Amino acid sequence: MTILLSTFVTNGFATDTESGTVAESTPQSMQAEAGHVEGYMTLPLGDEVFDATFVADKTGRDYGKVLILPDQDGSIDSYDLVHTLRVRLAESGWSTMTVALSYPYQPQLLLSPNANDEEPVAQIETTSEAEVGESATTSDDDNAGRVAAAVAYLNAQQPGPTVIIAMGKSAELSATAIAQVGKDNALIWISPEWQAETAPEAQYVLDITLSASAYEETTNVQQRAVMMRKNVVQYSQRQIPGATSNFNGFEQPVFNLIRNWLYKAFAQGATS
C-alpha cells in the first residue's frame, strides 16, 4: 500500500494523469480508491476541493462533452449507470465528467435489541427540523458551486455541445446547470426525482423514465404535460421496458438510447 500511495502523492499534491492537472491531496483512503478510478481529479471550490473525474474522448471525433450528475446514492464512479455512461460515452466520441455531490443528512433506521434480548426493535435516529433545513440549504449551495466549477472546467477543455445528464435527485440541479453552458446543449434526465415547473434552457431534452408504479406513471404524464405547455419542442420521454429502480441490469439499453439520441441530435450532421 505504501508503494501505491508514494506513486500517487508528491509533496502533498495528487497528480491527475488523464488531465495533467495538479490538485491538493485527499485522505489516504480516498487516494487509494482514486488510484483505481480512471480520470480521477479534484476541482477547487472556495478553500476546499471536491472529487471529480474527467475522461477525454477516446476516438478523436470530439463531438462534445458530457457532465454526469449522480443520484443521492451514487458516486463519481458508481458501478452502475454512472460508470457505464462515463466510460462508454468516452469510447463513443464524447468527453465525460462526473462530480461528487453533497446531499443532506437522511435519518437512519436502526435495529437494536431491547433490554430483555427479545426481537430487535426499530429505532430512528432523529434530527431536528432546523438541522435538516440547514443541512439541505448548505448542500444545495455547495452542489450549485460544484456544478458551476465542473461546467467551467469542461468549457475550458474543448468547444462543442455540452450535455448534462442528471440522475434522480440531481435533476433539480440540472436547470441551473444547463443555463450555465452555451446554447448548443442538451439535458438528459434519468428517472428524475423532481418535476420541472418551467422549461429548462436546453436545446434538446431527453427524459428517461421508469413505469414500475402508478405513481411514477402519473409523474411521467405530468412532466410531459409541463414540457408541452411550455412548448419545449425538442422534448422526448422514453421508457426502458422492464427496468426497475436505478435501472440495475439495464445499463446497456440506457447507454444505447443516450448514445443514439446524442448522435442524431449533434453528431449526425457533423459526420454526414
Side-chain angles (χ1 to χ4, degrees):
M1 179 61 71
T2 303
I3 297 177
L4 172 62
L5 292 179
S6 64
T7 61
F8 190 81
V9 181
T10 304
N11 296 330
F13 287 82
T15 303
D16 171 50
T17 56
E18 290 291 328
S19 63
T21 60
V22 177
E24 294 182 15
S25 60
T26 52
Q28 290 189 357
S29 59
M30 176 58 72
Q31 290 170 2
E33 179 182 353
H36 301 286
V37 176
E38 180 182 7
Y40 173 79
M41 61 182 298
T42 58
L43 287 176
L45 181 62
D47 296 330
E48 300 179 351
V49 295
F50 62 92
D51 298 322
T53 69
F54 177 76
V55 181
D57 160 46
K58 297 182 178 182
T59 68
R61 300 187 184 100
D62 291 331
Y63 291 143
K65 55 270 190 192
V66 178
L67 175 60
I68 302 170
L69 306 178
D71 197 0
Q72 184 172 22
D73 56 353
S75 69
I76 58 174
D77 193 42
S78 302
Y79 200 75
D80 51 16
L81 273 178
V82 174
H83 179 85
T84 299
L85 291 177
R86 80 181 196 89
V87 172
R88 298 297 303 280
L89 285 173
E91 297 170 348
S92 304
W94 297 86
S95 296
T96 66
M97 187 170 201
T98 64
V99 294
L101 298 177
S102 173
Y103 289 98
Y105 169 81
Q106 296 293 323
Q108 299 292 321
L109 181 65
L110 304 176
L111 294 178
S112 62
N114 60 21
N116 297 323
D117 291 326
E118 297 174 356
E119 291 230 359
V121 294
Q123 294 182 338
I124 299 178
E125 289 185 353
T126 58
T127 305
S128 69
E129 291 184 6
E131 290 175 321
V132 171
E134 181 179 357
S135 174
T137 301
T138 302
S139 297
D140 290 344
D141 293 342
D142 187 46
N143 285 337
R146 294 183 183 201
V147 171
V151 169
Y153 180 87
L154 281 177
N155 287 340
Q157 294 306 301
Q158 67 182 75
T162 302
V163 180
I164 307 292
I165 298 180
M167 303 179 178
K169 291 185 179 299
S170 71
E172 190 170 358
L173 296 166
S174 63
T176 302
I178 203 68
Q180 297 171 349
V181 303
K183 293 183 178 180
D184 198 11
N185 64 51
L187 175 59
I188 299 175
W189 290 319
I190 299 180
S191 189
E193 296 183 28
W194 171 76
Q195 191 168 6
E197 296 180 356
T198 59
E201 298 180 28
Q203 184 179 4
Y204 304 98
V205 180
L206 174 62
D207 189 2
I208 303 176
T209 67
L210 295 168
S211 57
S213 69
Y215 170 79
E216 289 168 344
E217 183 59 32
T218 300
T219 302
N220 296 341
V221 171
Q222 292 173 345
Q223 187 86 291
R224 190 162 57 242
V226 169
M227 295 296 106
M228 293 178 64
R229 285 199 305 271
K230 299 299 181 179
N231 198 29
V232 182
V233 179
Q234 300 296 342
Y235 171 79
S236 301
Q237 190 177 92
R238 308 285 180 84
Q239 293 181 352
I240 304 296
T244 56
S245 179
N246 297 325
F247 296 94
N248 290 334
F250 290 82
E251 292 84 1
Q252 187 63 36
V254 173
F255 162 71
N256 290 340
L257 171 59
I258 291 176
R259 178 193 57 190
N260 295 338
W261 185 81
L262 288 176
Y263 181 80
K264 292 178 181 178
F266 298 108
Q268 192 170 29
T271 57
S272 60

